[in-house]
Amino acid sequence: MTALVIGHKNPDTDSIISALSATNLYRGRGFDVQSAAQGKPAPETQFVLEKFNLTAPEEVHEVAGRELYLVDYSDLAQAPDDFAKAKLLGIIDHHKLGDVTSDSPVECYIQPVGCSNTVIKRLHDYYQVAIPKDLAGAMLCAILSDTVLFKSPTCTDLDKEAAYDLAKIAGIEDINALGMEMFKAKSNLDASARDLIFRDFKDFNMSGHKIGIGQLEILSLDLINDELMQQLTSELDKVRSEGRDSAVLVLTDIMQEGSRILVSSDKAQLIVNALGGSLSDNIYLPGVMSRKKQVVPQLEQAFKA
Ligand code: MG
Ligand code: MG
Ligand code: MG
């Protein structure tokens, strides 16, 4: 049966484009696969798909009895709910090692780089599989998205190298202009507070605590007016009440390179302290841009204690 190449819940651009690019890689190696996504593309991803004439992967939520390749995660909380009834074949990722496991050997490529598409680009080189022009453009966008135009502390030389190679394949000269165009699409706040919180949202199990962390990356935090900030704050309380111990929203200002943090938790003090802020102010953390590197590890540590 055709195996699924599937990204994480609340898919971001890297997760959706990884499903497409890893499918290209696996097919190039002769594997029978098709791409899938656990949700619809967010505005940024929509922009990328349209720009490069690509079709979104099929939306799949039930995977019982299927064979799976995971891209851009290895956490159970981000996998389909019935993951235990599927067969894991492989993982390509760039996050901390998660808690999925398998009952037979798996092929894993996990590297501490800024984007799953960087790993996938390198695997295309390794296995000598060609990357079509449009797919290369979308993979470049995924790298620009995950590394926030190379500005995130998660960005490595390997990400830049992959991005320049992909730009060449895609025939793109002005990488920065493409990135700005994409982040403009990403900064679209014309959605409900709930949709904004879940646009890029991940649940984590931290020492038995269920913590949901959303991130909204926009060109300027000034785009969020007082009314919207109010709505985000009260919706976050609701999100927490839906079976989570804590809910956090990281509002990242791409141009200023810092983040404002909203917290709904009875451990708010612990969370804010772990991130290096204080509860008294409007919790703005200069230099904080990466959930993966500057938020999740700090909270994992804090909840371990
Ligand atoms: Mg992702
Ligand atoms: Mg990623
Ligand atoms: Mg991201």
Side-chain angles (χ1 to χ4, degrees), residues 29-44:
R29 294 167 61 196
F31 300 177
D32 179 17
V33 296
Q34 79 181 60
S35 38
Q38 298 188 65
K40 294 196 178 8
E44 178 194 62

Side-chain angles (χ1 to χ4, degrees), residues 23-304:
T23 292
N24 186 70
L25 172 76
Y26 293 133
R27 282 185 180 162
R29 294 167 61 196
F31 300 177
D32 179 17
V33 296
Q34 79 181 60
S35 38
Q38 298 188 65
K40 294 196 178 8
E44 178 194 62
T45 314
Q46 199 67 53
F47 163 85
V48 174
L49 292 170
E50 275 167 26
K51 176 111 188 155
F52 295 103
N53 311 303
L54 297 169
T55 310
E58 185 196 339
E59 207 175 321
V60 172
H61 297 279
E62 279 155 36
V63 296
R66 302 299 303 256
E67 294 183 324
L68 304 181
Y69 287 95
L70 306 188
V71 284
D72 203 34
Y73 69 110
S74 66
D75 274 314
L76 267 183
Q78 293 160 35
D81 293 338
D82 59 356
F83 175 83
K85 295 187 188 127
K87 182 178 163 73
L88 180 64
L89 296 184
I91 302 171
I92 301 177
D93 193 21
H94 68 123
H95 293 86
K96 76 176 176 74
L97 189 57
D99 52 2
V100 302
T101 188
S102 66
D103 35 39
S104 42
V106 283
E107 180 189 278
C108 293
Y109 292 101
I110 302 176
Q111 278 191 288
V113 292
C115 181
S116 289
N117 271 287
T118 297
V119 183
I120 296 169
K121 159 67 173 69
R122 293 166 59 77
L123 287 169
H124 275 85
D125 294 343
Y126 181 74
Y127 287 107
Q128 300 186 329
V129 175
I131 303 175
K133 192 173 179 217
D134 279 338
L135 182 60
M139 291 169 75
L140 167 62
C141 281
I143 296 176
L144 294 175
S145 169
D146 263 15
T147 65
V148 195
L149 304 172
F150 306 140
K151 290 195 286 192
S152 168
T154 59
C155 185
T156 68
D157 287 342
L158 293 181
D159 296 298
K160 290 182 191 166
E161 201 181 293
Y164 296 137
D165 283 355
L166 290 165
K168 207 174 287 170
I169 298 169
I172 288 159
E173 271 159 34
D174 195 340
I175 291 182
N176 208 55
L178 172 66
M180 287 306 284
E181 205 186 334
M182 181 181 69
F183 275 104
K184 213 171 274 172
K186 183 173 205 161
S187 302
N188 179 359
L189 295 176
D190 191 14
S192 69
R194 188 170 186 86
D195 286 350
L196 292 173
I197 290 171
F198 280 103
R199 195 178 269 177
D200 181 4
F201 187 91
K202 291 178 179 174
D203 278 311
F204 297 88
N205 180 342
M206 297 189 182
S207 305
H209 302 271
K210 189 172 176 187
I211 321 279
I213 309 175
Q215 183 174 25
L216 205 51
E217 292 158 315
I218 50 181
L219 284 170
S220 165
L221 287 186
D222 295 340
L223 294 168
I224 302 177
N225 60 29
D226 291 347
E227 192 194 346
L228 180 55
M229 195 62 87
Q230 273 309 320
Q231 290 170 352
L232 289 170
T233 304
S234 58
E235 191 63 34
L236 196 63
D237 287 333
K238 203 164 152 228
V239 169
R240 173 201 176 190
S241 74
E242 294 160 0
R244 296 178 181 86
D245 298 302
S246 307
V248 177
L249 184 60
V250 181
L251 301 165
T252 301
D253 190 310
I254 293 165
M255 299 317 287
Q256 279 207 22
E257 303 185 29
S259 296
R260 182 165 169 185
I261 313 283
L262 303 183
V263 181
S264 174
S265 172
D266 51 19
K267 297 202 170 57
Q269 188 80 57
L270 177 81
I271 290 172
V272 172
N273 287 350
L275 298 177
S278 92
L279 257 191
S280 53
D281 48 43
N282 253 340
I283 320 175
Y284 180 79
L285 306 170
V288 170
M289 304 187 79
S290 165
R291 170 174 52 197
K292 177 174 33 257
K293 207 161 180 168
Q294 296 168 299
V295 178
V296 172
Q298 289 74 1
L299 297 188
E300 295 261 15
Q301 272 305 324
F303 279 96
K304 240 179 229 172

